[in-house]
Amino acid sequence: MSENPKRTRCGHPRPPRRASGFTMLPWLLLGLGSLSNLVQGDTPSPWLGGAGLLIFNTLYIQVVFRAFHPMRRRGPGTWWPLGGMAVMTFGLGGAYGGSWLLFFPLFGLACGTVLRGRALALAGVPLTLVVAVVAAVHDGWGAITISYATIMSMLVTAAILALTETITELRATRQELARSAVEEERLRFSRDLHDLLGHTLSVIVVKSEAARRLAPRDMDGALAQITDIESIGRQALTEIREAVTGYRDSSLSTELDRARSGLTAAGIEPVVRQSGPPLGPRTEALLGWVVREAVTNAVRHSGASRCEITVDGAPEQVRLVITDNGRGVRSGPAGDMNDGAGGDTAGDTRGRSTGLKGLTERLAVAGGSLEAGPPGPAGRGFRVTAVLPVDLAADGPPTAAAAPAVSPSPTESGQPA
């Protein structure tokens, strides 16, 4: 059997075909010997035998077709016809013998399509013993063949159908897992694309505005901003390609440098502090996403003059805190944080940012947490706090954590922005 499922014209996998009662109909050919006896007149009371044969076949068809639907198989509409088959089987086989004894294996087939587990064992043993007695009366030692055929037809049919049902469930589970994997990949890509383009386009806009302001009086400064825009655009193309393939591994130091550059271009004084041992690549990547999203929101919405980024590492966990002194978060009528358009004079709208929601989910999966909101009861400013467990540390000895290493902004170091 091919492992590749057949697909529709739209490219979607076709659902696996379910077995049906038609697969059990050829076994009715076992009754041809009884029909031949009726036609040749070898059966006493042929009209009674013919009616019994017709009723048995009708009940058999009803039972096997209902047996392939789990809910219908356990209903009374299946058990009553199966009981009627038992009456007809023992009545015809016990009365006529000979080829009519083959109705016992047929009845075993019907029982195998309906019964499962303990019920199969409880019914199989008594049925085999009674069949052996009835067949021995008419056929002597031939009863061994009839009773063996009855029990084997019951057990083999039940085993094959149970295996078929298991395979069907496994195929359905595999398709569900494939759909879940596709949805997870779409979610991952949407998050990456939002975080990548949201930050990059914000920086490009800010630097474009800076270039426009500098152009009339400082053409060299404007050209420097334009050069930065070109570099950022090329880097964004690379990152998008990496995000598509799922191999993007953001570096925290790189994101901190970009954050410092973007904040400075927006007229926000950056203060970056980093302390503690080196971080593992997974932790750095997640914290890099947090820095990117928080700085993007600060540049777009905060109206702040100062933004502090603090990375405080410890042996077991690392804490990242990003705080600005901007307008804070605007609350709606019900006290919920609004997420409308940015730039509102009454306050920014970062409280329910789509990017922050995605980051919260990312960090939760990694065993961390993310909180965002005003740093104090006054409601001024905005703070994003991310806490992550430290995974495998990078190669090299840990740095001293006694005194925090401060990376001053251009303003603090006396350099021009």
Side-chain angles (χ1 to χ4, degrees), residues 189-210:
F189 183 72
S190 66
R191 288 171 177 171
D192 287 0
L193 196 61
H194 172 273
D195 294 341
L196 287 170
L197 293 184
H199 173 79
T200 302
L201 294 178
S202 297
V203 174
I204 289 176
V205 170
V206 170
K207 286 187 172 291
S208 298
E209 293 175 349

Side-chain angles (χ1 to χ4, degrees), residues 115-128:
L115 303 177
R116 297 288 185 275
R118 185 179 180 183
L120 185 67
L122 293 177
V125 174
L127 176 63
T128 304

Side-chain angles (χ1 to χ4, degrees), residues 41-57:
D42 296 335
T43 301
S45 306
W47 291 107
L48 183 60
L53 180 62
L54 178 62
I55 295 173
F56 179 89
N57 290 341

Side-chain angles (χ1 to χ4, degrees), residues 260-301:
R260 186 183 295 108
S261 175
L263 290 169
T264 302
I268 302 175
E269 176 187 0
V271 179
V272 181
R273 301 184 180 91
Q274 187 172 5
S275 64
L279 304 175
R282 186 162 177 251
T283 302
E284 282 212 0
L286 289 171
L287 293 181
W289 284 113
V290 176
V291 171
R292 174 184 287 266
E293 177 65 24
V295 170
T296 299
N297 285 339
V299 169
R300 295 175 61 185
H301 305 301

Side-chain angles (χ1 to χ4, degrees), residues 148-329:
Y148 179 78
T150 301
I151 188 61
M152 290 305 299
S153 63
M154 179 188 299
L155 296 178
V156 172
T157 301
I160 292 176
L161 293 185
L163 181 62
T164 302
E165 292 170 0
T166 302
I167 293 175
T168 302
E169 293 177 359
L170 289 176
R171 287 178 176 176
T173 302
R174 184 174 62 181
Q175 291 184 0
E176 183 62 28
L177 290 175
R179 283 193 293 269
S180 299
V182 171
E183 293 174 359
E184 182 66 23
E185 181 63 15
R186 287 174 178 171
L187 181 59
R188 180 200 68 81
F189 183 72
S190 66
R191 288 171 177 171
D192 287 0
L193 196 61
H194 172 273
D195 294 341
L196 287 170
L197 293 184
H199 173 79
T200 302
L201 294 178
S202 297
V203 174
I204 289 176
V205 170
V206 170
K207 286 187 172 291
S208 298
E209 293 175 349
R212 176 174 54 80
R213 292 194 302 267
L214 291 173
R217 64 179 187 275
D218 186 1
M219 184 56 67
D220 291 338
L223 291 176
Q225 296 292 338
I226 293 173
T227 302
D228 288 345
I229 293 173
E230 180 183 1
S231 176
I232 292 171
R234 293 183 184 277
Q235 182 64 28
L237 289 175
T238 301
E239 291 176 345
I240 289 175
R241 294 190 186 102
E242 292 173 348
V244 170
T245 56
Y247 296 123
R248 185 174 189 274
D249 191 10
S250 176
S251 168
L252 180 59
S253 59
T254 301
E255 294 297 342
L256 290 175
D257 291 339
R258 292 177 182 173
R260 186 183 295 108
S261 175
L263 290 169
T264 302
I268 302 175
E269 176 187 0
V271 179
V272 181
R273 301 184 180 91
Q274 187 172 5
S275 64
L279 304 175
R282 186 162 177 251
T283 302
E284 282 212 0
L286 289 171
L287 293 181
W289 284 113
V290 176
V291 171
R292 174 184 287 266
E293 177 65 24
V295 170
T296 299
N297 285 339
V299 169
R300 295 175 61 185
H301 305 301
S302 70
S305 60
R306 181 183 175 90
C307 181
E308 298 182 5
I309 304 175
T310 303
V311 182
D312 185 11
E316 295 183 356
Q317 68 177 20
V318 58
R319 182 184 182 91
L320 169 66
V321 180
I322 303 174
T323 307
D324 63 60
N325 62 349
R327 291 184 293 262
V329 180

